[in-house]
């Protein structure tokens, strides 16, 4: 297919990846799809999530004629990459926590992974830590409330500094900690708030640039023009349209995947 590279997330988190891809590949055609009707993903059960992610991504790829799919969501990638690759014929690029660069960046060897509950507990994540940070102390901290804070920020609402402070509090119990992996694509959208809540300078490491490099390696030729700036969402709203417009995307179209809504 010759359409844009489609960036997918549960919500606005993928926009942090859009920004990183545009920094490295300013001319590339990008589309955006998100499943904001079912946000957040990070607290939902795995079996439901896999079916939902396959449904939404298949529908969005068909609607956009995407030439590649970037799963700009750690929660989805650490669970459903293989299943997505098995059912799509275009390249699928995932997002996983940047444990390896964080281990290289840390002087003390004390790191933390800040991510959703789902990502923090996944076997995939445990293997990443064993493989790439086996000689480091790695604290795993679930920070699901930061997802809603990032959504609020992009909707033009204030971020609650108390929520940010509570989410980060476990990190400061290790005085040697010097590096934090932002293992959820929503979190780089709160970079300023995270830095100002930290009691000392910290290396904050996300996966954005690594994904952009991977896109440049895997997608050839890079799509230009056709379908650039189109967007799809599962729950259209003015606030989301405004957030997407801030990153150059058109008013999103509604996407109706087959899976029924999640019943808590
Ligand atoms: N942005 C997603 C991630 O990278 C998760 C947000 C959610 O919980 O829906 O993990």
């Amino acid at each position: 297919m010759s359409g844009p590279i489609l960036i997918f997330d549960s919500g606005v988190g993928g926009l942090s990846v859009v920004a990183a891809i545009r920094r490295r590949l300013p001319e590339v055609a990008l589309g955006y799809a998100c499943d904001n009707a079912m946000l957040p993903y990070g607290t939902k059960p795995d079996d439901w999530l896999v079916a939902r992610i396959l449904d939404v991504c298949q529908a969005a790829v068909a609607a956009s004629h995407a030439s590649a799919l970037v799963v700009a969501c750690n929660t989805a990638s650490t669970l459903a990459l293989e299943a997505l690759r098995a059912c799509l014929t275009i390249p699928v690029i995932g997002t996983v926590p940047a444990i390896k660069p964080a281990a290289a960046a840390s002087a003390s060897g004390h790191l933390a992974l800040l991510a959703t509950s789902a990502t923090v507990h996944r076997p995939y994540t445990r293997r990443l830590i064993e493989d790439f940070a086996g000689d480091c102390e790695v604290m795993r901290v679930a920070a699901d409330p930061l997802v809603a804070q990032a959504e609020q920020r992009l909707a033009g609402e204030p971020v609650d500094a108390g929520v940010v402070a509570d989410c980060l509090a476990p990190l400061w119990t290790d005085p040697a900690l010097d590096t934090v992996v932002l293992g959820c694509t929503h979190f780089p959208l709160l970079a300023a708030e995270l830095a100002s809540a930290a009691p000392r300078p910290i290396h904050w490491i996300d996966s954005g640039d690594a994904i952009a490099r991977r896109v440049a390696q895997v997608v050839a030729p890079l799509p230009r023009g056709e379908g650039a700036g189109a967007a799809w969402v599962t729950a259209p709203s003015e606030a989301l349209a405004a957030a997407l417009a801030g990153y150059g995307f058109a008013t999103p179209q509604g996407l109706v995947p087959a899976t029924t809504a999640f019943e808590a």
Side-chain angles (χ1 to χ4, degrees):
M1 287 193 258
S2 57
I5 295 178
L6 187 67
I7 312 299
F8 166 73
D9 183 37
S10 55
V12 297
L15 294 173
S16 70
V17 175
V18 166
I21 294 175
R22 289 217 181 109
R23 275 195 293 276
R24 189 166 278 272
L25 305 167
E27 303 295 320
V28 74
L30 300 180
Y32 197 84
C34 69
D35 188 13
N36 61 316
M38 292 296 119
L39 187 81
Y41 273 1
T43 51
K44 296 205 168 53
D46 285 1
D47 51 351
W48 179 85
L49 266 181
V50 175
R52 178 74 183 184
I53 291 163
L54 292 183
D55 257 1
V56 176
C57 287
Q58 281 176 306
V61 165
S64 62
H65 307 289
S67 50
L69 174 68
V70 173
V71 184
C73 176
N74 296 262
T75 305
S77 297
T78 52
L79 179 70
L81 269 187
E82 276 174 35
L84 279 167
R85 287 184 176 133
C87 75
L88 292 171
T89 54
I90 55 174
V92 178
I93 295 149
T95 305
V96 299
I99 299 290
K100 191 179 177 184
S106 172
S108 65
H110 287 234
L111 328 173
L113 167 64
L114 197 67
T116 63
S117 304
T119 298
V120 157
H121 294 114
R122 290 254 154 81
Y124 189 108
T125 305
R126 198 187 54 241
R127 282 196 302 274
L128 266 184
I129 293 173
E130 283 166 6
D131 291 349
F132 297 116
D135 54 348
C136 297
E137 275 300 313
V138 184
M139 187 192 302
R140 288 188 269 173
V141 177
D144 298 290
L146 294 183
V147 174
Q149 293 300 313
E151 292 283 330
Q152 260 173 244
R153 187 186 212 286
L154 265 67
E157 291 162 33
V159 171
D160 185 332
V163 171
V164 176
D166 287 350
C167 286
L168 299 192
L171 303 177
W172 318 131
T173 57
D174 178 355
L177 179 98
D178 65 359
T179 304
V180 176
V181 178
L182 300 179
C184 169
T185 54
H186 279 75
F187 299 172
L189 300 171
L190 298 171
E193 288 81 2
L194 296 176
S196 64
R200 57 182 183 272
I202 292 287
H203 295 293
W204 304 94
I205 301 204
D206 66 62
S207 309
D209 192 52
I211 297 163
R213 277 186 273 122
R214 191 76 191 132
V215 166
Q217 284 165 358
V218 168
V219 187
L222 285 167
R224 319 243 160 187
E226 198 180 324
W232 289 266
V233 303
T234 53
S237 80
E238 278 180 26
L240 182 54
L244 288 165
Y247 284 75
F249 290 101
T251 303
Q253 301 164 55
L255 194 66
V256 186
T259 310
T260 50
F262 177 72
E263 307 285 345

